[in-house]
Amino acid sequence: MLLRTAICAAVLLLCQPHAAFAQDASAPAAGVQDLAGRIDGVIAPHFKADAPGGTVVVVKDGKTVLRKAYGMADVGKGARMTPDMALRLGSITKQFTAAGILMLAEEGKLSVDDDITKYLPDYPTQGKKITIEHLLTHTSGIVSYTSQPGFRARMTQDLSVAQMIDSFKNEPLEFEPGSRYRYNNSGYFLLGAIIEKISGQPYAKFVEQRIFVPLGMTHTAYEGFERSKDPTAAGHTAAENGYAPPIRVSMSQPYAAGALVSTVDDLARWDAAIGSGKLLKPASWNKAFTSYRLSDGKETNYGYGWEVTQLQGVPAIGHGGGIPGFSTYAMRVPEQKLYVAVLTNSDSGPVNPGMVARKAAGVAIGKPYRDFKEVALEPAALDAFNGSYEVEKGVQRVFRRDGDKLVMQRTGRPPVTVKAFSPNGFFLPNSLEYFEFARDDKGRVTQVTQHYDGGVLVQPRTGDAPAPREAVRIASTAFDSRAGRYELRPGFVMELTREGDRYFAQATGQRKLEIFAARDDVFFSREVDAEIAFAKGEGDAPVLVLKQGGRELRGARLQ
């Protein structure tokens, strides 16, 4: 993306007691061995021996079924991953932050219905009531600081909590608090500040003393405040020739939204503590695991630091996490007393931890996912699926043939290639999603059904696929007169360059993308849903206008 966040989601979990670890010391029962073998057989192919790997734990009925490491801990050094290694968790941090807030609530030191200005009196709420619950549920309307232009360029800076809050507090609200759900790291950053204000302790010390030490989680800490010398896995990001170290990030920035490190063993201890009712009363845990309802009554499928989801139609609680160098996912299926955590040490593949966790969980509950194998279809056969299909009002899913491939693009998202598994079925690689087309009695495609974990969505065909945006040939001088560096926000610069008759745009901290001319003052990308246009500024100097995701950013050319 031209504007890409670096810290994403969140991870989570809950499990059963410490008996889970006794299984490591003795030979597992035959049934457990068999299940472990079946789970390993499903997930092992997703890891490559010479690529970044991961650690996996599967606990069922209080017993560790699988505890294993895959791939490399450090590709450059040739070091293999081991199951006791510590990795960054990313937004798994959010569940600890949420638990800390609920602990203070049970002590009578706050209420989730409190206006945040009770604890952060200088925070500008723009005349709206923003509650602690709004922060917990991503419904505050506050702009997420990780989506701000220039965030990646600022990630290396060591900033105070107050300085970080200053960086986003004056941005306009995106919507009325409580009316919409939009994943938001700023909310959890503010929750960390509230914990500090009430407890009188730094966030890192609070979670250490109130959660990690009491639960024996000796391998879990705010990065930089570790209490043990654990073996650690190096982070990786995709590079032109393999993998490279990830962009550096100061842990003052993810903070209470994503700065923790841990092991799968400690996550299982954390989950076992929740399963046995430690730290919080049952009513508080139930609240955390219950989907929040918006002001119009619609559910968000998100509680307090946990996603409310399904696994093959069975209720589950789960969450994913991403931070430079690492990607994670974990989930619990309460009815089955099942817990799965997958921690990987790459932020850009080759492993999708959410898919791996769900595949492992599906086998564990006796409901394995379909295993798709690609089949070849004639290019002409793909033409039947060309069309626009309605996902919801204002949102379309377009399928079109590109040579011998079928490409899918949803409104506002980049195009992806889907692969055939049958004459009318296509799967999304490295995902559990698949699509099946239906035809009328004349063989014409009338709709597509999207299959995703826990549900299906029928999307009727509404018409032909719009023609791909065509590039036009322009004079090199027309581009050269506008080439250069444009500052769209402090520290966030877009640079336009030309190589022969090809044009490129590169935003601060992001890779260079080829752009194409729609006319001599409008350019577009074929990789992301974004457009660059030009307006005239003072003295007819060019002003770059970046349009992406319904937002516009304008910037003057730097001298």
Side-chain angles (χ1 to χ4, degrees):
M1 298 171 64
L2 289 175
L3 301 178
R4 198 180 81 178
T5 75
I7 300 177
C8 337
V11 211
L12 64 196
L13 293 18
L14 347 18
C15 182
Q16 291 306 109
H18 292 15
F21 300 97
Q23 294 297 316
D24 294 333
S26 58
V32 173
Q33 272 187 325
D34 178 62
L35 179 56
R38 286 187 283 120
I39 293 172
D40 182 61
V42 167
I43 68 175
H46 292 280
F47 295 91
K48 296 180 180 179
D50 60 350
T55 59
V56 180
V57 70
V58 179
V59 181
K60 193 172 191 305
D61 296 322
K63 298 177 181 179
T64 299
V65 173
L66 180 75
R67 174 182 179 270
K68 191 169 182 179
Y70 300 85
M72 305 299 292
D74 191 321
V75 172
K77 294 181 179 179
R80 299 204 61 78
M81 187 77 77
T82 59
D84 59 340
M85 284 185 164
L87 290 81
R88 284 180 179 168
L89 298 181
S91 292
I92 191 172
T93 304
K94 289 180 173 66
Q95 67 190 257
F96 293 97
T97 301
I101 288 289
L102 289 172
M103 292 168 73
L104 294 173
E106 287 192 351
E107 294 164 8
K109 295 177 180 177
L110 62 79
S111 166
V112 296
D113 295 323
D114 287 339
D115 192 308
I116 64 173
T117 56
K118 182 174 180 179
Y119 309 101
L120 305 172
D122 296 329
Y123 194 88
T125 58
Q126 302 169 41
K128 307 295 183 180
K129 182 179 180 180
I130 301 175
T131 67
I132 288 175
E133 186 172 53
H134 289 146
L135 302 182
L136 288 164
T137 57
H138 305 289
T139 59
S140 67
I142 295 171
V143 170
S144 183
Y145 67 93
T146 55
S147 67
Q148 289 181 299
F151 168 69
R152 285 177 64 84
R154 300 192 304 270
M155 286 172 60
T156 61
Q157 299 176 16
D158 295 322
L159 300 176
S160 68
V161 172
Q163 287 173 321
M164 281 295 297
I165 293 174
D166 285 345
S167 74
F168 62 79
K169 70 180 184 181
N170 292 315
E171 293 287 333
L173 293 180
E174 295 185 310
F175 50 83
E176 182 78 18
S179 68
R180 292 173 58 187
Y181 167 90
R182 180 170 293 177
Y183 193 84
N184 187 324
N185 286 301
S186 296
Y188 274 79
F189 199 101
L190 293 172
L191 290 170
I194 290 171
I195 287 174
E196 292 195 358
K197 182 71 174 288
I198 294 174
S199 69
Q201 292 180 300
Y203 172 83
K205 184 59 67 175
F206 177 89
V207 291
E208 174 188 304
Q209 293 187 354
R210 297 295 304 274
I211 299 176
F212 305 150
V213 171
L215 298 183
M217 298 173 65
T218 58
H219 311 291
T220 306
Y222 190 118
E223 186 170 324
F225 296 86
E226 292 86 350
R227 289 163 291 123
S228 59
K229 294 183 179 180
D230 298 308
T232 59
H236 300 81
T237 194
E240 210 166 300
N241 298 308
Y243 295 91
I247 184 173
R248 181 184 174 274
V249 56
S250 165
M251 285 298 124
S252 67
Q253 302 221 12
Y255 181 56
L260 297 184
V261 297
S262 189
T263 64
V264 290
D265 292 336
D266 262 11
L267 288 181
R269 289 187 177 91
W270 165 240
D271 192 69
I274 297 171
S276 58
K278 295 183 179 179
L279 293 181
L280 293 170
K281 297 174 182 177
S284 294
W285 285 123
N286 288 338
K287 187 69 173 175
F289 308 145
T290 300
S291 174
Y292 178 78
R293 286 187 180 274
L294 299 173
S295 54
D296 63 2
K298 292 181 181 178
E299 291 194 359
T300 62
N301 295 322
Y302 197 98
Y304 297 172
W306 274 269
E307 291 176 339
V308 181
T309 182
Q310 290 191 339
L311 175 84
Q312 294 286 62
V314 179
I317 305 159
H319 216 299
I323 192 168
F326 300 84
S327 184
T328 55
Y329 193 86
M331 70 185 314
R332 187 185 193 231
V333 188
E335 291 179 4
Q336 304 282 343
K337 296 181 180 178
L338 174 72
Y339 162 73
V340 180
V342 179
L343 309 180
T344 72
N345 63 331
S346 173
D347 58 22
S348 48
V351 179
N352 176 341
M355 183 174 67
V356 170
R358 286 179 175 274
K359 280 193 169 184
V363 173
I365 69 170
K367 292 188 175 185
Y369 286 88
R370 292 180 63 175
D371 185 20
F372 295 108
K373 293 184 178 179
E374 185 178 7
V375 299
L377 297 183
E378 290 296 324
L382 300 179
D383 288 334
F385 310 113
N386 282 356
S388 184
Y389 301 78
E390 186 174 53
V391 179
E392 58 186 59
K393 187 176 181 180
V395 179
Q396 298 290 317
R397 188 184 305 279
V398 172
F399 290 88
R400 60 166 59 92
R401 179 167 69 88
D402 182 7
D404 60 354
K405 301 180 297 183
L406 188 65
V407 176
M408 175 185 76
Q409 185 168 20
R410 177 176 164 143
T411 301
R413 298 181 185 176
V416 294
T417 298
V418 292
K419 297 186 176 182
F421 64 85
S422 75
N424 291 297
F426 294 80
F427 66 96
L428 188 61
N430 208 24
S431 166
L432 296 172
E433 281 188 69
Y434 64 98
F435 301 84
E436 291 184 301
F437 292 90
R439 301 173 185 257
D440 61 17
D441 54 7
K442 295 182 179 179
R444 294 173 299 198
V445 173
T446 58
Q447 65 183 36
V448 65
T449 299
Q450 176 188 6
H451 296 263
Y452 57 94
D453 201 19
V456 297
L457 183 62
V458 177
Q459 300 158 31
R461 187 178 187 276
T462 56
D464 295 336
R469 195 167 186 180
E470 292 292 334
V472 300
R473 186 178 294 275
I474 64 172
S476 296
T477 53
F479 181 85
D480 291 343
S481 66
R482 298 179 174 93
R485 302 173 71 248
Y486 295 79
E487 187 172 50
L488 304 181
R489 288 283 178 88
F492 182 68
V493 173
M494 182 75 69
E495 183 173 14
L496 303 184
T497 56
R498 178 171 66 87
E499 297 177 12
D501 59 357
R502 299 174 67 191
Y503 312 119
F504 296 89
Q506 184 169 22
T508 302
Q510 300 178 27
R511 64 188 180 90
K512 184 162 63 174
L513 297 177
E514 185 169 8
I515 56 176
F516 302 86
R519 57 176 195 248
D520 63 6
D521 61 348
V522 177
F523 298 83
F524 63 93
S525 167
R526 285 179 175 153
E527 295 184 57
V528 299
D529 189 9
E531 180 181 275
I532 290 172
F534 289 91
K536 289 183 179 180
E538 187 176 344
D540 287 341
V543 172
L544 185 147
V545 183
L546 173 65
K547 302 176 182 179
Q548 185 177 18
R551 301 172 65 187
E552 285 193 8
L553 292 176
R554 303 170 69 91
R557 185 160 59 184
L558 298 172
Q559 298 301 317

